[in-house]
Amino acid sequence: MREIALVYLDRSGGLQQFVHDCKKYNDSKQSYAVYRFIISINPSDIAELDATLGNYILHNPIQAAQIFQSVCFIAIQTLSLIEQLQTEAQISILLKPTHLPPLPSYVLSLSAFPFNYTSQRFYMSEGVVIAMGTVTKYTQGARFLCTEETCPFSEGFRYIRVHLPGATESATVRNDFVCSLCSSPLQEDMKFRVLGDKQMVEMIDAKVLNALKGYSNDKSHFRIQAFTVFLR
């Protein structure tokens, strides 16, 4: 699937955009622990190229991002795109689909029952925004070092933690991580923390508009409940 991903990036122009993004990182005088890339993908084009990879992206996007992460790391190493990059873990890939298949199973509707949204795949959701929070910061990535000076992992970029969709802040940054080599505590190198913007939005299903029209029938007896969306 790595070979197919590389072929798709080359044909879609994504590889050229990736090289351009790498150049901005390489020309920057700032040191990064995490290099973040947004890759636009067309699920239909990928499915036609390789159905297995297309389905993998639609239904296992987090694992599919790891395939593109590996491809991008090899490209950086082969073409010497970012001189400062040391490990594959420093690359963070966000897959951004241009659209999803127009099928009911890809529509997130909290008014439908039973709720079967246990998988971490892409969904479309339509609703009415009823409240918005302020824009705050969250940790996109962080570098940790072993506190034991004689340990090989007391330097370098062995321990990189990157925020994943659905994870809490404590999953990325906290003070109880330990070294897998010597079991010593890990300490964050604050100079390399990468921050991003997040905003909480309260939404409500679009079907609530029917209840505001001033009439009712047998089909309009339903419960309305808001749900929270994190914009990152």
Side-chain angles (χ1 to χ4, degrees):
M1 284 194 287
R2 291 185 179 90
E3 182 179 351
I4 298 298
L6 180 59
V7 171
Y8 172 76
L9 288 175
D10 185 34
R11 292 183 180 180
S12 65
L15 187 59
Q16 183 179 359
Q17 180 62 44
F18 173 74
V19 172
H20 176 72
D21 293 339
C22 287
K23 187 177 185 302
K24 291 191 296 184
Y25 277 124
N26 197 45
D27 293 343
S28 175
K29 297 180 180 179
Q30 181 179 352
S31 297
Y32 294 88
V34 177
Y35 298 87
R36 191 168 184 262
F37 300 95
I38 299 177
I39 298 180
S40 295
I41 54 174
N42 186 318
S44 300
D45 290 347
I46 294 182
E48 291 182 4
L49 192 63
D50 185 82
T52 302
L53 180 59
N55 287 326
Y56 201 60
I57 290 173
L58 288 173
H59 301 100
N60 299 281
I62 296 179
Q63 290 78 10
Q66 295 175 355
I67 295 177
F68 283 85
Q69 177 188 22
S70 178
V71 170
C72 292
F73 177 71
I74 294 174
I76 291 175
Q77 295 292 89
T78 303
L79 303 176
S80 301
L81 298 176
I82 302 179
E83 297 180 359
Q84 306 94 323
L85 182 71
Q86 296 186 21
T87 64
E88 183 175 325
Q90 291 180 260
I91 300 177
S92 174
I93 299 295
L94 178 63
L95 299 181
K96 185 178 181 181
T98 57
H99 66 280
L100 293 180
L103 300 172
S105 59
Y106 291 95
V107 178
L108 175 64
S109 176
L110 296 183
S111 65
F113 188 84
F115 306 130
N116 187 25
Y117 304 115
T118 56
S119 64
Q120 293 183 326
R121 65 177 177 86
F122 291 116
Y123 290 99
M124 295 180 289
S125 181
E126 184 181 44
V128 180
V129 175
I130 60 175
M132 298 178 65
T134 58
V135 177
T136 57
K137 296 293 184 181
Y138 79 102
T139 303
Q140 286 184 348
R143 175 198 188 192
F144 285 82
L145 298 173
C146 182
T147 54
E148 175 56 52
E149 295 182 357
T150 60
C151 179
F153 297 154
S154 62
E155 56 185 15
F157 293 86
R158 175 63 175 79
Y159 295 112
I160 301 295
R161 301 196 65 84
V162 179
H163 173 84
L164 292 178
T168 60
E169 186 80 4
S170 61
T172 308
V173 178
R174 61 175 188 261
N175 56 12
D176 61 347
F177 296 127
V178 296
C179 178
S180 59
L181 184 62
C182 67
S183 299
S184 299
L186 297 181
Q187 185 175 13
E188 182 186 356
D189 186 352
M190 296 298 296
K191 299 190 301 294
F192 286 90
R193 177 178 285 197
V194 182
L195 299 178
D197 294 332
K198 72 174 180 179
Q199 186 176 23
M200 295 176 59
V201 174
E202 286 288 323
M203 292 182 63
I204 203 163
D205 196 283
K207 291 183 179 180
V208 70
L209 297 177
N210 294 328
L212 302 177
K213 292 181 179 179
Y215 65 88
S216 63
N217 52 46
D218 293 338
K219 295 183 179 181
S220 64
H221 297 293
F222 55 87
R223 179 184 177 188
I224 300 298
Q225 181 172 331
F227 57 96
T228 303
V229 177
F230 290 84
L231 305 178
R232 297 184 184 270

